[in-house]
């Protein structure tokens, strides 16, 4: 299990390697035809920052070779903002005294319909952690209703058992996203209360999902909680582990930066656009086959610039509050959106850049 | 008159005065032909005027197919 | 060969640098040798089919009994006919051949070949350098045939050679581009044209050479001894053209390099 590998990491040494990497080290790695995970500490180092243009070109090339000139579009559909966890940084923190709601089956279908009209064929169903308001069977029912109209249905909810993932898979869920948030155990413990506080259980979630046969597994770290370079190095290792162990699954990697949310959490560090860009390029160079995801958390200029340089998946026209697409936004949103453009505006931008927006990746017809 | 032409000794009943005359006698065109007389290169424009003497070594060289 | 990448939106379009050797412009990047053909007529047709503008010939003693009809098959007005010094075993012999060749051709162009080894016909670097130095001083337009030795290439460029002709593999071996790593270096470092010569056996090798960045290729045996040399000459012509078009279309290989003119990461400022 990845837990074993993670526990064996000499974190101090890794941090040291990242901080002390030199320009010569970076140049040596940039000369290689193929980079490996062991090159990541150098690529994410401060020393690599001055090579960002070269890294951008390499990242672009690798992405074009592996994925072509496409960007896959998806929309998050928040089905509930109920949550039993108290995560210090999250708008859904159970202690936040703001309106909670869980959409009904029909309301969800209405939301989905709006998204379908916009062109989406890939939805990410999102909720907080609340097994009473959002039981597994409920999600399974929704999936069942949506499976014919959406080729790809992902969930970003609470960690489940393999058997539960199996149930969801049988009903049409194709992928999951579950971010470890931080790979620093001590920091993790500081930030989380509730069931989510179980670091190991969360860490093993991608593996349980993959064992159930889900096609795409999304992992991620929330940047700003801890030393972002170290977090990314561990995130990269996690991705590498999953790719090797669950070779039938496609792995996607996300690296959202903490944004303002209700509750006024202050991140321990700020990651600049340049630093995030460097992270994307570095990830692409060592994980040529991973999907790299950029959400509407990021600003327009950044997203536009990064499309085609390594990012292969983007959300668009997002609403992070339940009912946000079909109703007005009364309820709490999980995080503030920065890129406010509609899906078609984002698609236009991509086309103008010589990239093709992809709404649907594969037809379910061939799968089940 | 004895001349060594391309490594072979040849006897001429009548003396050959110039290289040009030699080429004519041998039915070798002047154009695109290179001449070495006693180890020295003869320029094209000198072919008419360069005199030959007994026992001269002459290389008559031209182009053939090659890579 | 240098290509300059132009940015257009975020897509890049390449421009091929013109092939100019000693002030003479060539449209075709395929040079053809004239040896080993089955007949003068086939030679003539093959040259035509190849689209070449530059052919090489060797220098040999005229046969006084059987005139060589080969040369009659070559149109000296249509092609730039460049003599080579094949057969020379050392610098002295090469100089001798070059000087003779010049009187016959009326041109200063010479392909300098010094090959003491009769088995593999590999070029002697020391004698080549020695001869090149003298020939350049005597006003020749020197194109030296060498092993793919980047250091030697630089030295020959320094002394004033008009182009470099590094080998792909031994003459007549048809083994293709075996010296790729070093050809890359030569191409990267050279300011004069690089013509890959020797060992090209198939059109794909010629395409590979051009795609590698060579300015031109010289092919002889592969065309001359094919069962249908005329068709093979045409194939080589197409292969070289295909490679040129590939480079002009901005292939993925070229997209590794960031261009200063329009940085990809400008938006991060």
């Amino acid at each position: 299990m990845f837990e074993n590998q993670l526990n064996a990491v000499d974190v101090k040494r890794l941090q040291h390697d990242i901080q002390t990497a030199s320009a010569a080290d970076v140049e040596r790695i940039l000369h290689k035809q193929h980079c490996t995970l062991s090159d990541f500490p150098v690529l994410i180092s401060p020393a690599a920052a001055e090579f960002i243009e070269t890294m951008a070109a390499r990242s672009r090339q690798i992405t074009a070779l592996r994925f072509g000139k496409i960007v896959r579009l998806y929309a998050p559909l928040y089905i509930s903002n109920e949550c039993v966890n108290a995560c210090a940084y999250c708008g859904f923190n159970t202690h936040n005294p703001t309106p909670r709601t869980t959409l009904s089956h029909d309301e969800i279908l209405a939301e989905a319909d709006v998204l379908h009209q916009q062109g989406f064929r890939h939805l990410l169903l999102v909720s907080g952690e609340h097994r009473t308001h959002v039981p597994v069977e409920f999600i399974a029912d929704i999936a069942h209703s949506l499976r014919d109209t959406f080729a790809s249905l992902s969930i970003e909810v609470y960690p489940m058992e393999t058997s539960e993932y199996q149930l969801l898979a049988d009903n049409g869920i194709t992928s999951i996203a579950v971010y470890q948030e931080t790979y620093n155990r001590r920091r993790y413990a500081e930030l989380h209360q509730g069931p989510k506080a179980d670091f190991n259980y969360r860490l093993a979630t991608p593996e349980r999902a993959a064992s159930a046969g889900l096609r795409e597994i999304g992992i991620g770290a929330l940047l700003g909680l801890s030393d972002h370079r170290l977090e990314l190095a561990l995130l990269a290792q996690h991705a590498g582990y999953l790719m090797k162990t669950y070779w039938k699954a496609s792995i996607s990697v996300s690296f959202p930066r903490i944004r303002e949310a209700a509750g006024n959490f202050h991140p321990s560090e700020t990651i600049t656009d340049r630093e995030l860009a460097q992270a994307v390029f570095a990830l692409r160079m060592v994980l040529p086959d991973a999907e790299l995801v950029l959400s509407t958390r990021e600003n327009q200029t950044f997203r536009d610039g990064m499309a085609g340089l390594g990012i292969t998946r983007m959300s668009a026209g997002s609403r992070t509050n339940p009912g946000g697409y079909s109703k007005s936004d009364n309820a709490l949103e999980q995080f503030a959106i920065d890129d406010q453009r509609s899906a078609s505006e984002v698609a236009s931008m991509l086309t103008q850049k010589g990239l093709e927006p992809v709404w649907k990746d594969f037809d379910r017809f061939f799968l089940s | 008159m004895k001349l060594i032409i391309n490594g072979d000794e040849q006897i001429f009943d009548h003396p050959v005065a110039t290289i040009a005359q030699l080429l004519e006698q041998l039915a070798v065109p002047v154009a695109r032909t290179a001449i070495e007389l006693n180890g020295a290169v003869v320029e094209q424009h000198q072919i008419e005027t360069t005199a030959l003497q007994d026992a001269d070594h002459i290389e008559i060289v031209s182009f053939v197919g090659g890579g | 060969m240098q290509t300059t990448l132009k940015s257009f939106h975020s897509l890049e379009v390449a421009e091929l640098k013109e092939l100019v050797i000693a002030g003479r412009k060539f449209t075709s990047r395929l040079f053809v040798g004239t040896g080993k053909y089955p007949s003068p007529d086939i030679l003539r047709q093959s040259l035509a089919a190849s689209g070449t503008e530059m052919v090489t010939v060797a220098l040999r003693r005229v046969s006084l009994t059987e005139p060589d009809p080969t040369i009659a098959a070559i149109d000296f007005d249509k092609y730039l006919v460049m003599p080579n010094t094949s057969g020379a075993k050392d610098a002295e012999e090469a100089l001798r051949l070059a000087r003779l060749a010049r009187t016959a051709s009326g041109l200063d162009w010479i392909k300098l070949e010094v090959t003491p080894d009769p088995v593999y016909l590999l070029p002697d670097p020391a004698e080549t350098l020695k001869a090149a130095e003298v020939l350049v001083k005597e006003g020749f337009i020197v194109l030296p045939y060498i092993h793919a030795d980047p250091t030697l290439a630089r030295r020959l460029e320094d002394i004033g050679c008009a182009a470099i002709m590094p080998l792909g593999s031994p003459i007549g071996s048809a083994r293709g581009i075996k010296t790729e790593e070093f050809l890359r270096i030569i191409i990267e470092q050279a300011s004069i044209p690089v013509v890959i010569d020797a060992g090209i056996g198939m059109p794909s090798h010629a395409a590979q050479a051009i795609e590698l960045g060579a300015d031109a290729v010289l092919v002889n045996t592969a065309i001359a001894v094919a069962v249908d040399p005329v068709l093979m000459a045409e194939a080589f012509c197409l292969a070289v053209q295909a490679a040129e078009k590939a480079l002009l279309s901005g292939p993925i290989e070229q997209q590794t390099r960031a261009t200063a003119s329009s940085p990809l990461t400008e938006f991060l400022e």
Side-chain angles (χ1 to χ4, degrees):
Chain A
M1 290 184 40
F2 183 62
E3 184 187 328
N4 302 327
Q5 187 177 315
L6 183 62
N7 290 342
V9 173
D10 181 347
V11 170
K12 284 263 182 302
R13 170 78 190 272
L14 181 53
Q15 249 172 336
H16 177 263
D17 288 347
I18 292 170
Q19 290 303 322
T20 59
S22 67
D25 291 329
V26 180
E27 278 177 319
R28 181 177 44 86
I29 288 181
L30 290 177
H31 271 115
K32 292 170 69 165
Q33 270 234 322
H34 301 288
C35 293
T36 62
L37 269 175
S38 55
D39 298 324
F40 192 79
V42 174
L43 293 171
I44 200 63
S45 70
E50 66 169 286
F51 296 90
I52 199 164
E53 184 63 19
T54 307
M55 288 175 69
R58 277 288 281 279
S59 178
R60 181 180 61 169
Q61 186 213 31
I62 295 169
T63 307
L65 278 171
R66 286 300 202 289
F67 294 89
K69 300 211 166 169
I70 58 110
V71 173
R72 297 169 173 144
L73 295 176
Y74 74 96
L77 199 173
Y78 281 71
I79 60 181
S80 171
N81 60 3
E82 299 275 5
C83 195
V84 300
N85 290 313
C87 305
Y89 49 79
C90 180
F92 290 0
N93 185 328
T94 197
H95 298 311
N96 284 343
T98 39
R100 303 285 174 152
T101 184
T102 301
L103 300 179
S104 68
H105 189 109
D106 288 343
E107 284 171 329
I108 292 168
L109 295 192
E111 288 277 278
D113 193 53
V114 172
L115 292 169
H116 194 269
Q117 308 264 3
Q118 291 178 10
F120 290 105
R121 299 294 178 270
H122 179 177
L123 291 188
L124 174 67
L125 303 172
V126 190
S127 78
E129 176 154 8
H130 208 303
R131 279 181 172 270
T132 314
H133 286 279
V134 188
V136 177
E137 294 73 21
F138 179 61
I139 301 173
D141 281 342
I142 297 165
H144 193 82
S145 300
L146 293 175
R147 69 186 299 170
D148 290 335
T149 40
F150 290 90
S152 186
L153 287 170
S154 310
I155 51 167
E156 188 177 342
V157 295
Y158 44 86
M160 297 176 182
E161 293 296 308
T162 307
S163 56
E164 293 173 315
Y165 286 126
Q166 191 60 63
L167 174 69
L168 292 177
D170 291 343
N171 278 277
I173 295 294
T174 54
S175 13
I176 79 150
V178 54
Y179 303 169
Q180 193 61 22
E181 318 295 5
T182 171
Y183 288 87
N184 178 328
R185 283 180 186 275
R186 191 184 39 77
R187 190 73 177 115
Y188 189 92
E190 285 170 10
L191 297 165
H192 299 104
Q193 285 169 35
K196 190 165 170 177
D198 188 341
F199 182 95
N200 289 334
Y201 188 73
R202 190 174 186 83
L203 190 68
T205 305
E207 295 167 65
R208 291 193 303 276
S211 303
L214 289 174
R215 289 174 61 87
E216 284 174 33
I217 313 291
I219 60 173
L222 189 53
L223 302 182
L225 298 178
S226 182
D227 173 357
H228 79 276
R229 298 179 201 273
L230 181 58
E231 292 283 23
L232 287 160
L234 297 172
L235 176 61
Q237 283 197 26
H238 196 181
Y241 172 86
L242 291 170
M243 280 171 168
K244 210 161 170 188
T245 319
Y246 299 98
W247 55 271
K248 290 183 189 173
S250 137
I251 306 299
S252 74
V253 183
S254 304
F255 20 78
R257 288 183 282 186
I258 291 187
R259 286 195 60 79
E260 153 209 316
N264 291 316
F265 174 78
H266 298 294
S268 52
E269 60 169 73
T270 317
I271 292 95
T272 65
D273 282 1
R274 277 188 90 86
E275 285 167 336
L276 186 59
Q278 182 187 339
V280 172
F281 305 149
L283 284 168
R284 173 56 67 221
M285 287 169 73
V286 304
L287 298 170
D289 296 305
E291 289 261 19
L292 299 180
V293 189
L294 213 53
S295 74
T296 49
R297 253 183 167 106
E298 303 302 338
N299 68 73
Q300 187 171 331
T301 310
F302 186 74
R303 279 167 39 110
D304 289 2
M306 292 303 288
L309 293 187
I311 295 298
T312 54
R313 187 170 289 175
M314 297 172 92
S315 53
S318 303
R319 298 279 180 276
T320 67
N321 51 308
Y325 296 109
S326 50
K327 305 192 285 196
S328 58
D329 40 358
N330 291 329
L332 184 75
E333 56 178 16
Q334 189 189 29
F335 59 82
I337 305 284
D338 201 329
D339 186 349
Q340 307 273 357
R341 286 175 296 182
S342 70
S344 58
E345 284 169 329
V346 172
S348 281
M349 174 274 289
L350 292 173
T351 310
Q352 270 165 43
K353 286 185 63 105
L355 300 167
E356 185 184 357
V358 171
W359 304 93
K360 181 170 77 167
D361 236 352
F362 51 81
D363 255 313
R364 196 185 286 276
F365 173 70
F366 295 107
L367 298 176
S368 52
Chain B
M1 185 184 200
K2 183 177 82 174
L3 295 171
I4 296 98
I5 302 169
N6 286 355
D8 293 325
E9 201 174 280
Q10 287 201 30
I11 308 291
F12 292 85
D13 298 327
H14 304 289
V16 188
T18 64
I19 295 176
Q21 275 184 27
L22 175 63
L23 291 179
E24 204 188 316
Q25 277 198 33
L26 297 173
V28 174
V30 172
R32 304 204 179 99
T33 300
I35 305 288
E36 215 182 47
L37 177 60
N38 298 324
V41 171
V42 178
E43 298 293 333
Q44 280 262 320
H45 62 84
Q46 292 168 325
I47 286 177
E48 282 288 327
T49 50
T50 306
L52 289 173
Q53 301 186 352
D54 195 49
D56 269 346
H57 282 72
I58 299 137
E59 292 286 340
I60 304 175
V61 170
S62 186
F63 298 126
V64 296
Chain C
M1 148 172 63
Q2 286 159 17
T3 55
T4 52
L5 300 177
K6 273 204 293 213
S7 234
F8 182 69
H9 293 310
S10 62
L11 305 170
E12 318 215 308
V13 172
E15 283 173 6
L16 291 187
K17 192 162 177 248
E18 267 188 338
L19 174 55
V20 178
I21 303 176
R24 161 93 186 226
K25 182 177 147 186
F26 294 89
T27 312
S28 165
R29 295 181 189 274
L30 175 62
F31 299 165
V32 181
T34 56
K36 305 179 192 167
Y37 286 79
S39 75
D41 196 51
I42 299 275
L43 167 60
R44 187 182 45 77
Q45 288 181 60
S46 300
L47 294 182
S50 72
T52 189
E53 294 159 359
M54 158 97 99
V55 306
T56 53
V57 292
L59 213 59
R60 292 290 181 272
R61 280 172 167 172
V62 166
S63 168
L64 301 171
T65 47
E66 289 165 41
D68 190 298
T70 307
I71 292 307
I74 300 171
D75 186 339
F76 278 72
D77 295 318
K78 183 176 177 191
Y79 306 112
L80 193 166
V81 182
M82 175 168 67
N84 66 30
T85 62
S86 70
K89 291 188 170 42
D90 58 28
E92 272 311 305
E93 289 183 9
L95 291 174
R96 184 182 171 203
L97 283 168
R99 289 162 181 152
L100 280 168
R102 178 151 64 171
T103 64
S105 71
L107 299 174
D108 294 322
W109 292 71
I110 189 78
K111 180 188 166 190
L112 177 57
E113 268 181 55
V114 187
T115 53
D117 162 28
V119 176
Y120 292 107
L121 297 169
L122 291 169
D124 183 320
E127 297 299 302
T128 301
L129 190 58
K130 212 159 82 173
E133 212 156 11
V134 177
L135 290 174
V136 168
K137 286 200 179 97
E138 289 182 9
F140 282 88
I141 296 168
V142 183
L143 281 74
Y145 165 65
I146 57 168
H147 205 307
D149 179 347
T151 312
L152 179 59
R154 287 260 250 209
R155 293 201 60 187
L156 288 162
E157 180 179 328
D158 284 349
I159 62 172
C161 289
I164 292 290
M165 304 189 75
L167 60 85
S169 56
I171 291 173
S173 68
R175 290 172 62 83
I177 310 294
K178 294 296 179 193
T179 52
E180 183 171 346
E181 286 313 304
F182 303 96
L183 290 173
R184 268 187 213 283
I185 299 172
I186 292 174
I187 288 164
E188 186 190 312
Q189 297 181 337
S191 301
I192 53 178
V194 178
V195 182
I196 294 178
D197 179 20
I200 292 176
M202 286 291 276
S204 56
H205 301 155
Q208 185 189 353
I210 300 297
E211 286 167 13
L212 206 52
D215 295 88
V217 293
L218 175 56
V219 181
N220 189 170
T221 309
I223 296 174
V225 307
V227 173
D228 185 343
V230 181
L231 189 57
M232 184 58 89
E234 186 187 342
F236 268 95
C237 176
L238 291 170
V240 169
Q241 287 175 349
E244 285 180 275
K245 290 193 178 192
L247 291 175
L248 283 168
S249 63
I252 193 72
E253 279 278 317
Q254 285 180 350
Q255 293 174 27
T256 43
R257 276 177 275 130
T259 56
S261 56
S262 58
L264 297 169
T265 55
E266 208 166 33
F267 69 96
L268 292 167
E269 305 307 325

